[in-house]
Amino acid sequence: MPEHDMKDVRDIVINYHDGTSRKATVLDREVPYPEGKLIVSRTDTQGIITHANQAFVEMSGYTEEELIGTNHYILRHPDMPAVAFAGLWETIEAGNKWHGYVKNLRKDGAYYWVKATVIPNIRNGVVVGYTSVRRKPSRSKISESEALYKTLR
Amino acid sequence: MTLNLTVSPDFAPDHISGWFIFNTWLQRQLGTGVHLELYDCFDAQRQDIKSGKFDLVYANPFDASMLVRELGFKALVRPISKPDETIIATHKDSPLQCVEDLKPGAQLVATDDPDVNRIGMIMLEPADLDQTNTETTTVDSYVIVAKNVLNKNAEVGFFLKDAYDELSDLIKSQMKILVSSEISVVHHTLLLCPKLQKYAPKIQQRLVKMADDEKGRSVLESMNLLGWEVMTEEETEFMIDLIDTLLDE
Ligand SMILES: Cc1cc2nc3c(=O)[nH]c(=O)nc-3n(C[C@H](O)[C@H](O)[C@H](O)COP(=O)(O)O)c2cc1C
């Protein structure tokens, strides 16, 4: 870890809504969105990761083996308000498409912003899982989201 | 029986004859008539597809969604190593260095290719640009897109990457790429209508083996394809779900 980052390091405990928690290191360092790429993952109906593309693996900092079978909340950043994800789940469980700006936590503690779209995977009329596709957000949308999320935490 | 075949109008004009050669090849392989009809406009083709005119469609990924989810077609195969990628390019002397340098009111030039235009607009989002604050000139081919960029009639042009790669070196040497998509899982597919599904295994099998012999390879070459690989139902659904996330309604 470069020395200039040291002052921005925080060790925190993240509590998930299912009652579990984990210790995480959070750095105030943004990793730029990879140009031209889409970051793609799929989950089962419970939010357990079943697929992650190469861009997802690279940006999250985890290996594919670490990601598959893990709850998607592994990427949850403490700056993200719980209501944002409550809205996500309410929308997709009702069978609809959800859009939002998300700050994600990498394995190394750094973060990256995405514009995410999540949709239910419907096969023969049944929801069998969810797909999330992320694209590069604009700086203005990131600033707006940062300001909004501060008021919601 | 005659199979009615059509091909998404987004391939380079040089490969038109290749599709007619493919038509003849397919006819021999299946021992049945195959009739190929080409279009130079996406909308007219989509109308005819919806009215049930075609049995076999080589579709761009956005039309594949409509064919599968609305009309019950099934994808049989996809071309090997040929993802649909989009390039946004500008004049080499342009002050633009990245997409974020574009400002509201930006002048774009594009064809009417729905997937390239959608991905192109997504790649402009980081600059806070969309349909409402840009002006798009729609032209008939990627060569004309390039001409408009070189004449500075537009600040940037949208290209299918394959079409960009096939532009002359002279044209390419006067352009600069601002961003090139790397999506890799969105591609064309060959789809069969619901009422002829009993022929699916045979068509699929002949196409997958096409690159195994000299004759088949030369036909593929004339279409600028390497070969075909099987597309499973779940792979098709996965691609369509992904495309669904790219449509903003
Ligand atoms: C397909 C899909 C993708 C998701 N992607 C993310 C993500 O990238 N980052 C994230 O923090 N949460 C993501 N979530 C939401 C998580 O499931 C979870 O709701 C969130 O991290 C908050 O965790 P918590 O509710 O346990 O606190 C995703 C959910 C689904 C269904």
Side-chain angles (χ1 to χ4, degrees):
Chain A
M1 185 184 313
E3 213 170 320
H4 67 270
D5 279 342
M6 297 301 279
K7 66 178 176 1
D8 300 318
V9 178
R10 283 186 291 151
D11 282 314
I12 56 156
V13 174
I14 304 177
N15 296 304
Y16 300 114
H17 87 295
D18 62 4
T20 64
S21 63
R22 75 171 175 113
K23 285 196 189 129
T25 302
V26 178
L27 308 177
D28 192 14
R29 179 167 66 85
E30 178 167 6
V31 175
Y33 192 99
E35 292 295 335
K37 295 194 183 179
L38 296 176
I39 299 175
V40 183
S41 65
R42 287 172 95 184
T43 69
D44 64 13
T45 53
Q46 306 303 307
I48 306 296
I49 300 171
T50 55
H51 166 89
N53 75 349
Q54 189 54 32
F56 189 106
V57 171
E58 282 164 20
M59 283 304 280
S60 70
Y62 292 95
T63 64
E64 190 174 352
E65 293 70 41
E66 286 172 316
L67 290 168
I68 306 296
T70 301
N71 196 302
H72 220 310
Y73 61 45
I74 185 118
L75 296 188
R76 163 125 194 233
H77 196 282
D79 291 352
M80 283 300 293
V83 289
F85 295 114
L88 181 161
W89 279 99
E90 196 179 309
T91 307
I92 61 177
E93 282 179 344
N96 297 316
K97 191 187 284 190
W98 181 86
H99 288 286
Y101 293 88
V102 179
K103 183 176 187 173
N104 276 319
L105 179 63
R106 290 163 49 96
K107 186 179 184 183
D108 65 6
Y111 66 89
Y112 58 101
W113 277 96
V114 299
K115 176 182 177 181
T117 305
V118 185
I119 57 154
N121 306 131
I122 302 166
R123 304 287 183 268
N124 304 313
V126 180
V127 175
V128 297
Y130 301 102
T131 297
S132 177
V133 176
R134 297 87 172 171
R135 7 173 160 157
K136 186 177 183 185
S138 70
R139 289 322 301 182
S140 70
K141 294 290 186 199
I142 293 174
S143 309
E144 270 172 39
S145 307
E146 272 174 333
L148 175 68
Y149 294 162
K150 262 183 201 145
T151 68
L152 297 175
R153 259 189 291 149
Chain B
M1 182 188 72
T2 297
L3 271 175
N4 289 298
L5 166 69
T6 191
V7 177
S8 181
D10 50 10
F11 55 89
D14 310 356
H15 307 304
I16 288 181
S17 59
W19 281 97
F20 280 100
I21 300 169
F22 174 70
N23 186 82
T24 309
W25 178 89
L26 193 60
Q27 212 151 248
R28 292 217 181 102
Q29 293 292 317
L30 303 177
T32 178
V34 180
H35 172 74
L36 172 64
E37 188 163 335
L38 296 179
Y39 289 76
D40 46 23
C41 157
F42 288 87
D43 275 338
Q45 185 189 47
R46 209 170 294 138
Q47 290 314 315
D48 283 352
I49 291 174
K50 282 189 175 171
S51 74
K53 193 169 173 187
F54 296 105
D55 310 306
L56 202 54
V57 181
Y58 184 64
N60 70 66
F62 282 59
D63 284 348
S65 292
M66 181 261 295
L67 285 160
V68 172
R69 298 245 162 117
E70 291 172 33
L71 303 174
F73 276 64
K74 287 205 173 112
L76 303 178
V77 290
R78 62 167 166 244
I80 292 172
S81 303
K82 209 175 168 63
D84 286 318
E85 304 290 1
T86 297
I87 282 180
I88 300 182
T90 187
H91 194 287
K92 80 169 186 342
D93 300 332
S94 162
L96 302 171
Q97 295 300 331
C98 61
V99 161
E100 282 88 339
D101 290 341
L102 284 162
K103 295 285 169 286
Q107 308 270 338
L108 322 175
V109 57
T111 65
D112 65 348
D113 187 338
D115 45 336
V116 169
N117 292 349
R118 187 67 210 114
I119 305 288
M121 290 315 288
I122 285 173
M123 294 198 297
L124 291 184
E125 285 177 1
D128 283 320
L129 297 178
D130 58 32
Q131 255 98 354
T132 64
N133 60 4
T134 53
E135 273 175 54
T136 305
T137 306
T138 304
V139 299
D140 282 341
S141 73
Y142 288 111
V143 173
I144 306 178
V145 172
K147 282 189 182 146
N148 276 268
V149 170
L150 296 186
N151 296 338
K152 301 186 179 167
N153 289 337
E155 291 171 84
V156 294
F158 289 177
F159 296 87
L160 180 68
K161 183 174 183 297
D162 269 355
Y164 185 91
D165 291 342
E166 289 188 11
L167 292 171
S168 75
D169 289 342
L170 182 67
I171 291 180
K172 276 186 284 191
S173 70
Q174 296 174 71
M175 292 206 287
K176 174 166 75 180
I177 294 176
L178 292 181
V179 61
S180 183
S181 75
E182 289 178 56
I183 299 171
S184 75
V185 287
V186 169
H187 45 71
H188 280 54
T189 47
L190 186 74
L191 302 112
L192 184 65
C193 69
K195 69 175 194 289
L196 298 181
Q197 281 307 312
K198 63 170 185 279
Y199 299 102
K202 184 172 181 186
I203 303 176
Q204 213 168 31
Q205 185 229 359
R206 297 298 160 97
L207 289 170
V208 167
K209 289 199 162 142
M210 190 170 177
D212 291 354
D213 66 76
E214 193 68 39
K215 177 73 190 130
R217 271 198 302 276
S218 82
V219 177
L220 285 164
E221 209 172 294
S222 63
M223 301 153 80
N224 196 28
L225 300 181
L226 294 172
W228 302 98
E229 58 194 354
V230 169
M231 185 86 184
T232 66
E233 208 162 328
E234 186 47 34
E235 283 167 331
T236 307
E237 292 291 341
F238 176 73
M239 182 179 89
I240 295 174
D241 279 339
L242 192 144
I243 289 165
D244 200 6
T245 69
L246 305 178
L247 305 171
D248 288 323
E249 78 287 340

